[in-house]
């Protein structure tokens, strides 16, 4: 492949891999640059002590707070991006998430288009990621033009028991839409998939569901261990060169079109680092919004314990409920989503409680069920990614936290009412990438958004940004499917408008 491909895609996460799959059949010469490499099939992939106690897969990287304090972020650099470790929950945003939504602490703005505009691509993304699910269980579920092609992943008996208890209380637990072939996953080892790396073991992540399909075409090539370091714009505003580093060598490629898909933090950082005399605040940044409106879901692990409950499940993560998604249940503002976590074992829990012996933790986890409470983080321009030379500075200012605390309190009360007298909660912090998004958002007004509704830069006609950074709101559900759906929509738009297919 030449050094002048038609399209260069930077990053192979959900955005980059899905847009590649959407464009592969056009015949355009596509080069995908990935900073990391494939996840090898190794024993550590299912070794919970290696993953959760020794941090085997955590990046050797430091980001910084605004005050200079360093921390190790939980972002992964490998083929497939963070999706290699995700919980494979592929939910649609609710219809209301595309509209203005008032929260206890601020307003989540309307998208530049309604839910209906994205719905056909939601359908296609669910097919591509082989989503398992069941319609008709969740009252907040938006309209689907097609059914899931695969039945929902079944509850294990202890999980079915808790689902029944919640239904008896008048709640509406629903089967999580999951991109996982559970039989294939369990045939490798009896572990959950949530936070465990996938080496083509049955989880439908960006690599297995999208990238491998794209690479079947001879016009698509993937280059691993290739870290993009700078984009260079010409006098007319077009991105003329991409500089990247591989094996200590600096390489230049000159594509006709650039799709930046490095993730909400890294995409913003690359644009800011690419500042030049014509663009002193960074590329695509006439609006001064690149890096701003960073969002990271307010989230907590909630563990319910009962001496009389015995949890023998392996994967656990099969249902959630949205009874407090659109309101607090009493006419007040929204609180958020509740879903099961992947099964927390004693080996997993010891990662957070290193002083506790595993035998003691086993006495707790064997009688516990584990939930994940998630609330919307409202966009705030002062919550932002900045760069200081090679340093990434993450200035995250949580919003809507009191609503999240109210959701956790309500969940605790519910769990106690169905027979779990002990309920513990722990919030996730910056070390856990709880669905990072925003930073290069779409919008109708170039004065307030770097990208148009098709993710094209207002400043550079041949630059698109297709990853979670384009999201104008975080909603309160897992964002992967929405990113994949917009990626397919953008791919179709590029094929017609730029490639004239």
């Amino acid at each position: 492949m030449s050094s002048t491909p038609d399209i260069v895609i930077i990053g192979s996460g959900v955005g980059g891999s899905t847009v590649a799959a959407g464009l592969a059949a056009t015949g355009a010469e596509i080069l995908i640059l990935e900073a990391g490499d494939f996840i090898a099939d190794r024993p550590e992939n299912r070794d919970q002590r290696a993953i959760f106690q020794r941090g085997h897969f955590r990046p050797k990287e430091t980001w910084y707070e605004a005050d200079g304090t360093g921390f190790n972020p939980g972002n992964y650099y490998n083929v497939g991006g963070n999706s290699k470790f995700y919980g494979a929950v592929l939910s649609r945003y609710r219809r209301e998430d595309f509209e203005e939504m008032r929260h206890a602490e601020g307003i989540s703005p309307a998208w530049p288009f309604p839910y209906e505009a994205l719905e056909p691509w939601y359908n296609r993304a669910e097919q591509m990621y082989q989503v398992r699910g069941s319609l008709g269980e969740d009252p907040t579920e938006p309209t689907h033009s097609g059914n899931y092609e695969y039945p929902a992943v079944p509850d294990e008996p202890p999980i079915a028991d808790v689902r029944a208890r919640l239904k008896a209380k008048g709640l509406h637990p629903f089967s999580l839409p999951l991109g996982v072939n559970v039989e294939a996953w369990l045939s490798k080892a009896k572990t959950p998939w949530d936070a465990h790396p996938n080496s083509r073991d049955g989880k439908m992540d960006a690599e297995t569901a999208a990238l491998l399909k794209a690479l079947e075409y001879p016009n698509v090539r993937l280059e691993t261990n290739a870290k993009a370091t700078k984009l260079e714009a010409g006098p007319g505003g077009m991105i003329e060169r991409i500089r990247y580093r591989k094996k200590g060598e600096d390489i230049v490629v000159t594509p006709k079109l650039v799709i930046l898909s490095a993730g909400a933090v890294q995409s913003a950082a690359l644009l800011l680092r690419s500042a030049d005399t014509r663009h002193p605040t960074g590329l695509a940044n006439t609006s001064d919004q690149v890096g701003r409106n960073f969002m990271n879901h307010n989230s907590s692990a909630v563990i319910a314990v009962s001496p009389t409950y015995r949890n023998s499940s392996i994967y656990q993560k099969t249902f959630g409920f949205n009874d407090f998604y659109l309101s607090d249940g009493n006419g007040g503002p929204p609180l958020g989503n509740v879903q099961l976590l992947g099964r927390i074992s004693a080996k997993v829990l010891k990662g957070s409680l290193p002083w506790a012996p595993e035998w003691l933790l086993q006495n707790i986890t064997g009688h516990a069920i584990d939930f994940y409470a998630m609330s919307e983080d409202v966009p705030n321009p002062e919550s932002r990614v900045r760069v200081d030379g090679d340093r990434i500075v993450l200035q995250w200012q949580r919003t809507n936290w009191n609503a999240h605390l109210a959701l956790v309190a309500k969940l605790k009360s519910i769990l106690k009412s169905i027979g779990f007298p002990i309920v513990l909660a722990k919030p996730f912090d910056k070390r856990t990438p709880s669905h990072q998004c925003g930073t290069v958002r779409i919008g109708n007004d170039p004065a307030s958004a770097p990208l148009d509704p098709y993710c094209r830069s207002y400043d550079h006609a041949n630059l698109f940004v297709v990853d979670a950074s384009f999201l104008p709101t975080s909603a309160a559900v897992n964002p992967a499917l929405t990113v994949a759906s917009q990626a397919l929509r953008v791919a179709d738009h590029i094929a017609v408008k730029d490639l004239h297919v």
Side-chain angles (χ1 to χ4, degrees), residues 376-459:
E376 181 156 358
D377 187 15
V378 177
N380 174 1
E382 297 309 312
S383 186
R384 62 189 299 194
V385 174
R386 295 187 292 110
V387 294
D388 180 10
D390 290 335
R391 286 187 170 194
I392 287 177
V393 179
L394 182 57
Q395 185 177 305
W396 179 32
Q397 298 185 11
R398 284 187 189 269
T399 65
N400 210 33
W401 183 245
N402 287 332
H404 180 67
L405 295 179
L407 177 64
V408 171
K410 197 171 283 281
L411 177 57
K412 284 183 173 182
S413 176
I414 290 167
L415 293 172
K416 288 178 180 179
S417 75
I418 63 169
F420 292 89
I422 302 169
V423 186
L424 309 171
K426 180 181 178 178
F428 291 110
D429 60 16
K430 290 182 181 178
R431 295 182 70 253
T432 303
S434 301
H435 311 143
Q436 297 169 353
C437 61
T439 71
V440 196
R441 65 183 179 178
I442 57 173
N444 286 321
D445 183 0
S448 60
L451 308 176
D452 75 9
Y454 286 98
C455 293
R456 188 193 299 269
S457 165
Y458 281 113
D459 295 348

Side-chain angles (χ1 to χ4, degrees), residues 87-263:
V89 176
L90 291 161
S91 296
R92 299 185 180 202
Y93 272 21
R94 312 293 92 173
R95 185 180 186 278
E96 293 82 355
D97 287 321
F98 289 81
E99 303 168 350
E100 181 179 285
M101 188 178 293
R102 293 184 176 272
H103 291 270
E105 300 175 33
I107 296 175
S108 184
W111 278 51
F113 50 80
Y115 166 78
E116 288 75 14
L118 192 57
E119 199 283 332
W121 288 275
Y122 268 130
N123 238 24
R124 280 179 51 191
E126 285 166 346
Q127 293 168 11
M128 178 176 285
Y129 282 79
Q130 300 178 34
V131 179
R132 277 82 171 150
S134 178
L135 297 177
E137 300 174 341
D138 177 10
T140 73
E141 182 75 35
T143 301
H144 286 234
S145 58
N147 291 320
Y148 292 116
E149 293 188 352
Y150 299 87
V153 175
D155 291 341
E156 294 155 292
I159 308 310
D161 172 49
V162 175
R163 188 198 287 238
R165 296 189 204 184
L166 291 169
K167 288 184 74 171
K169 294 291 291 186
L171 296 166
H172 299 84
F174 65 93
S175 299
L176 289 172
L178 294 167
V180 63
N181 180 334
V182 67
E183 293 83 8
W185 181 267
L186 294 178
S187 70
K188 183 75 169 291
K190 300 297 189 286
T191 71
W193 57 82
D194 203 352
H196 291 64
N198 178 37
S199 54
R200 306 184 188 180
D201 302 328
K203 188 157 54 170
M204 301 298 114
D205 57 37
E207 179 206 2
T208 57
L211 180 63
L212 294 182
K213 287 184 172 61
L215 292 174
E216 292 175 0
Y217 291 80
N219 53 300
V220 181
R221 181 168 70 89
L222 171 69
E223 192 162 340
T224 59
N225 301 302
K227 181 176 176 58
T229 56
K230 191 174 184 180
L231 307 182
E232 295 182 359
M238 302 290 272
I239 305 301
E240 295 184 348
R241 287 174 293 278
I242 298 173
R243 296 186 180 274
Y244 68 96
R245 176 164 291 186
K246 179 166 182 164
K247 296 181 179 177
E249 180 185 0
D250 290 320
I251 303 172
V252 177
V253 63
T254 57
K256 298 173 185 174
L257 190 146
V258 179
I259 301 175
L260 178 54
S261 302

Side-chain angles (χ1 to χ4, degrees), residues 290-346:
V290 170
R292 295 186 184 273
N293 302 296
F294 171 84
M295 294 167 283
N296 196 62
H297 277 144
N298 298 313
S299 55
S300 296
V302 179
I303 302 177
V305 184
S306 170
T308 62
Y309 177 72
R310 180 65 183 171
N311 191 350
S312 57
S313 69
I314 297 170
Y315 50 85
Q316 179 174 270
K317 192 179 183 75
T318 49
F319 75 75
F321 59 88
N322 282 325
D323 293 78
F324 310 107
Y325 194 93
L326 300 176
S327 81
D328 63 1
N330 298 306
L335 299 184
N337 165 268
V338 175
Q339 60 186 252
L340 286 165
L341 275 171
R343 180 85 166 92
I344 295 180
S345 68

